[in-house]
Amino acid sequence: MVTLDFRTLTVPVGIVRILEVIFTCITFSLVASVGHSTNSFWTWCMFTWCFCFCVTFLIIVLEFTSLSAKLPISWDDFTTAFAMLATLMVLAASIIYPIFFIKFCSSCGKQIAATVLSCLTFILYAVEVGLTRAKPGEISGFLSTVPGLLKVLEAFVACIIFICLDYNQFSKYAGLQWCVAVYCICFIFAVLVIIFTICRLLSLFPAPFDKVLTGCNVLAVLMYITAAVVWPVYSFKNNSRPSYSSCPAGVLHQKNVGCK
């Protein structure tokens, strides 16, 4: 039986989520009205706003109808992890979109408005993270704690690294291949921790979860240290600075920025 809970719409978290839905809807509507683009960055930004709109709207509906309590997942962990992920995704979109699609023109009103709304949406999701994060001494799921939120951040940063990787570059050197292996291993572990936590499968770990997490985090830190040292040694080797003629057109329009 479905029970409507109007309190979920009037509490601070509920009000923030309603504003998130409104702002993301307006944002992707403004961008879509400008026109479609096959650029991968445009696709990423549109996916971010549409994805956040759909999931946030679904969360509101499930909590309003009290169906969230009947789902076989840790609801608090899911909503907190999503809020953290949405914060990072919208922040990235708020930076990427104006850089690539607002090109020093006087007729970019819709693009500027979409950027402003996207920035406001980022603030709203950041506020939601603060409201749903577990307070000191409070009993809550792992992803609602600071270590859990950092695990979500770790997975997101790994995704950004994957997007920026160039196969032709790291395929030439074993050192760079080791760095990619480090990113992949740590990313897989972070995703497994998030999935196991949300699906309440932590009991399947062959050892106490805290000890497993601590051991893997120590190992990940050591591996990332090696990657942080090895990557610049090989990545920047024999790479000269770009010439003036190779600067993007957008950069050349900025008088205070130059390429040498």
Side-chain angles (χ1 to χ4, degrees):
M1 182 178 177
V2 176
T3 303
L4 300 182
D5 186 1
F6 289 92
R7 181 178 173 276
T8 60
L9 303 179
T10 57
V11 295
V13 175
I15 295 173
V16 168
R17 286 172 179 162
I18 292 174
L19 292 175
E20 290 166 356
V21 168
I22 295 173
F23 283 14
T24 51
C25 180
I26 297 175
T27 301
F28 71 70
S29 298
L30 285 172
V31 174
S33 66
V34 175
H36 178 268
S37 173
T38 57
N39 187 290
S40 59
F41 291 111
W42 186 91
T43 304
W44 161 260
C45 294
M46 280 296 287
F47 169 78
T48 294
W49 296 317
C50 293
F51 172 75
C52 293
F53 167 80
C54 293
V55 178
T56 305
F57 182 75
L58 179 63
I59 290 174
I60 293 175
V61 171
L62 290 177
E63 289 198 343
F64 178 64
T65 57
S66 301
L67 293 176
S68 58
K70 300 179 181 179
L71 297 177
I73 62 173
S74 176
W75 184 253
D76 290 337
D77 278 321
F78 169 72
T79 53
T80 304
F82 168 73
M84 181 63 176
L85 179 62
T87 301
L88 298 171
M89 292 178 66
V90 173
L91 173 61
S94 301
I95 296 173
I96 292 173
Y97 186 76
I99 290 177
F100 287 93
F101 301 101
I102 300 180
K103 301 181 178 178
F104 311 102
C105 63
S106 58
S107 58
C108 295
K110 291 184 178 180
Q111 292 93 324
I112 294 174
T115 301
V116 172
L117 287 172
S118 183
C119 292
L120 293 176
T121 305
F122 155 70
I123 295 174
L124 288 173
Y125 277 113
V127 170
E128 182 181 349
V129 172
L131 292 174
T132 57
R133 184 177 67 82
K135 306 301 185 294
E138 181 178 319
I139 299 176
S140 185
F142 171 70
L143 295 180
S144 299
T145 62
V146 173
L149 294 176
L150 289 177
K151 191 60 64 178
V152 177
L153 175 61
E154 178 186 335
F156 176 79
V157 173
C159 290
I160 297 298
I161 292 175
F162 294 147
I163 294 173
C164 298
L165 288 178
D166 183 358
Y167 176 79
N168 294 326
Q169 181 184 27
F170 71 80
S171 62
K172 298 178 181 178
Y173 304 104
L176 297 183
Q177 293 173 10
W178 160 253
C179 295
V180 175
V182 170
Y183 304 145
C184 293
I185 293 172
C186 296
F187 171 75
I188 292 172
F189 175 73
V191 171
L192 286 177
V193 169
I194 294 172
I195 293 175
F196 273 59
T197 302
I198 292 176
C199 297
R200 297 176 178 174
L201 300 175
L202 295 179
S203 59
L204 299 180
F205 274 88
F209 175 69
D210 292 340
K211 294 182 179 180
V212 173
L213 185 63
T214 301
C216 290
N217 285 341
V218 171
L219 181 61
V221 169
L222 296 176
M223 294 173 66
Y224 269 119
I225 290 176
T226 63
V229 174
V230 173
W231 185 268
V233 170
Y234 286 95
S235 182
F236 301 132
K237 186 177 181 180
N238 300 324
N239 286 340
S240 59
R241 296 183 62 184
S243 63
Y244 183 84
S245 60
S246 65
C247 291
V251 175
L252 297 178
H253 281 81
Q254 301 183 50
K255 295 182 180 180
N256 61 332
V257 177
C259 293
K260 301 179 180 178

